[in-house]
Amino acid sequence: MRATGDTWPHMAGAAAQPVRRATVATLPAVKMLRRALVALSLAGTIAGLLRMRGKGGVPPQEGGWREVGVPPQ
Amino acid sequence: MTTPIVGLAGCGVTGSRVLHHLAAHQVRVAVYDPSPALARNTRVVRLESAADLMACDLVVLCGPAPHAPLTEMLVADATPVVSVGDDLDDMQALLALQPLAERHGVAAVVGAGMAPGLSGLLARYLAAQLHTLDELHVAVHGTAGPQCARQHHAALGDAALGWHDGEWIQPPGGSGRDLVWFPEPIGAHDCYRAALPDPLLLQRGFPTAQRISARVSATRRDRLTARLPMLTPPHAAGDLGSVRVEARGAGPHGERVSVIAGVAGPTAELAAVVCAATVGQLLRHPVAPGVHALGDEALAGLDLLHHATQLGVRVQEFTGVARATSW
């Protein structure tokens, strides 16, 4: 049995394109900034969804005050 | 028959208005107030000492707390007393004078101002509209004079008093926020529990009520500084105030019913009108010996709320459905 590219085509492709590894490590500050941006965008999305689902801040507007007479007993 | 003489102890913001109302109804008034401001007023009969008040037919106490020591002295001399005090500790001491008042056959009416006072009258007025009374909730806004403002400030920092399911509770002052709509022009204000004597007096007058609470309006700064001295001087002449009473209970067919009444106006004027109406009625119709509050059944025959409206109090009723806020 021959181990050629014709016999194992997928292995042949993998051998042709070696795994690419990052050569420069991500800076910790950039990583934190990225996480903060993700958290903020998530919070904004959730808050927006909740605000759209709520009925809004309308105070109760039923009723009112009316002067009444107090007759003698 | 000689015209009765009313002694007035304390002639400040509220006391001076009581004096005005009584004088307008041809009641002879003698004033005891050691403050130098009164010395300049030459139109009033001035008493030199508190002991001189015992010569009067009835004494009105409008000065700062405590009222209990002077009331005890006057009751022991069989002199009727009307007090506008609203200090909780002082009120407990006043109510403890019940045996002394009965022994000397004299009546002492306590809490005869806006709250307590008008609050009790409104509670009685609302309770008559219910088949069964279960709850009474009082809210107060505004202060009469500087002493009254200091009293409210201190009350917000002390332990409150409430009647809850048949027993007394003492929640901390400044707790239990409730957004309360007062009659116009006062409008909506956040109100908090405080050391107010209204539950103490209302529970006596309405023993069937299961829950009784009292709250006072306050801002965030008021709550924050309640346990400190007042940072800013209070209004020298008082301000606009209001009292609102909500009664909950059942109708004749068992349905749940809530009825609300309130009054708004200058706080000192409201207190003075209620006090003057009480004095006027007590001079005409003596009541049973003992210590009474304005919401008590014993004073129902005096028809005090009607007489207060005759002197300028405008009672308002909330129309619509009272319900919890949903926002």
Side-chain angles (χ1 to χ4, degrees):
Chain A
M1 186 170 149
R2 294 179 303 170
T4 62
D6 297 332
T7 308
W8 309 100
H10 60 288
M11 288 296 290
Q17 293 181 357
V19 176
R20 298 182 67 183
R21 294 178 185 278
T23 53
V24 179
T26 309
L27 288 172
V30 175
K31 194 184 286 184
M32 189 172 289
L33 181 66
R34 191 188 298 154
R35 285 179 181 171
L37 285 173
V38 170
L40 279 176
S41 57
L42 267 176
T45 307
I46 293 170
L49 283 172
L50 288 176
R51 191 167 180 79
M52 293 293 285
R53 283 169 59 86
K55 285 191 237 175
V58 180
Q61 294 173 344
E62 298 171 26
W65 291 95
R66 130 183 111 80
E67 190 172 343
V68 292
V70 181
Q73 289 178 355
Chain B
M1 181 180 168
T2 58
T3 309
I5 299 174
V6 173
L8 179 65
C11 197
V13 175
T14 304
S16 59
R17 285 169 167 81
V18 173
L19 173 64
H20 169 77
H21 281 288
L22 292 177
H25 288 79
Q26 282 75 48
V27 177
R28 293 196 295 168
V29 184
V31 180
Y32 168 68
D33 191 335
S35 71
L38 183 68
R40 291 194 292 269
N41 190 342
T42 55
R43 292 180 298 173
V44 299
V45 177
R46 191 178 175 203
L47 301 176
E48 294 302 323
S49 73
D52 295 340
L53 290 167
M54 289 190 280
C56 300
D57 296 284
L58 188 149
V59 174
V60 184
L61 305 181
C62 291
H67 287 184
L70 189 52
T71 303
E72 184 175 4
M73 185 183 82
L74 293 165
V75 166
D77 188 58
T79 305
V81 176
V82 174
S83 162
V84 300
D86 63 349
D87 181 88
L88 179 56
D89 294 334
D90 190 38
M91 190 62 70
Q92 287 172 326
L94 286 167
L95 293 177
L97 297 176
Q98 173 80 17
L100 184 71
E102 287 177 345
R103 194 161 62 245
H104 289 88
V106 66
V109 177
V110 299
M114 186 180 86
L118 195 50
S119 55
L121 298 179
L122 291 176
R124 181 62 61 185
Y125 170 75
L126 294 174
Q129 301 177 24
L130 299 174
H131 192 259
T132 307
L133 176 70
D134 293 330
E135 298 181 34
L136 282 169
H137 302 285
V138 176
V140 185
H141 173 80
T143 55
Q147 292 296 341
C148 183
R150 290 188 186 94
Q151 166 64 29
H152 276 213
H153 178 82
L156 205 59
D158 285 345
L161 187 67
W163 181 251
H164 192 88
D165 291 342
E167 62 181 26
W168 290 111
I169 57 171
Q170 287 190 305
S175 64
R177 183 173 69 173
D178 196 8
L179 182 63
V180 175
W181 256 262
F182 291 96
E184 295 300 332
I186 304 301
H189 286 273
D190 277 329
C191 293
Y192 305 86
R193 290 183 182 273
L196 303 173
D198 289 272
L200 190 65
L201 300 180
L202 291 174
Q203 200 279 328
R204 280 167 44 105
F206 304 90
T208 61
Q210 288 298 302
R211 293 185 182 189
I212 303 172
S213 72
R215 286 176 168 81
V216 63
S217 69
T219 61
R220 288 173 182 168
R221 192 188 66 181
D222 293 335
R223 291 179 68 209
L224 188 69
T225 63
R227 287 162 182 82
L228 305 171
M230 290 187 81
L231 296 179
T232 53
H235 284 273
D239 56 359
L240 282 178
S242 179
V243 58
R244 174 192 184 273
V245 181
E246 179 171 354
R248 301 174 188 161
H253 304 294
E255 72 276 16
R256 304 303 302 168
V257 181
S258 290
V259 284
I260 302 170
V263 172
T267 309
E269 181 64 18
L270 291 177
V273 162
V274 172
C275 182
T278 306
V279 170
Q281 286 297 89
L282 281 178
L283 290 175
R284 287 184 215 108
H285 312 284
V287 295
V291 179
H292 307 290
L294 291 202
D296 288 359
E297 186 69 41
L299 301 186
L302 298 185
D303 203 7
L304 291 174
L305 188 58
H306 168 71
H307 284 89
T309 57
Q310 297 295 300
L311 293 178
V313 168
R314 292 171 55 241
V315 178
Q316 299 185 57
E317 248 180 9
F318 185 79
T319 60
V321 181
R323 59 183 175 84
T325 52
S326 61
W327 56 305

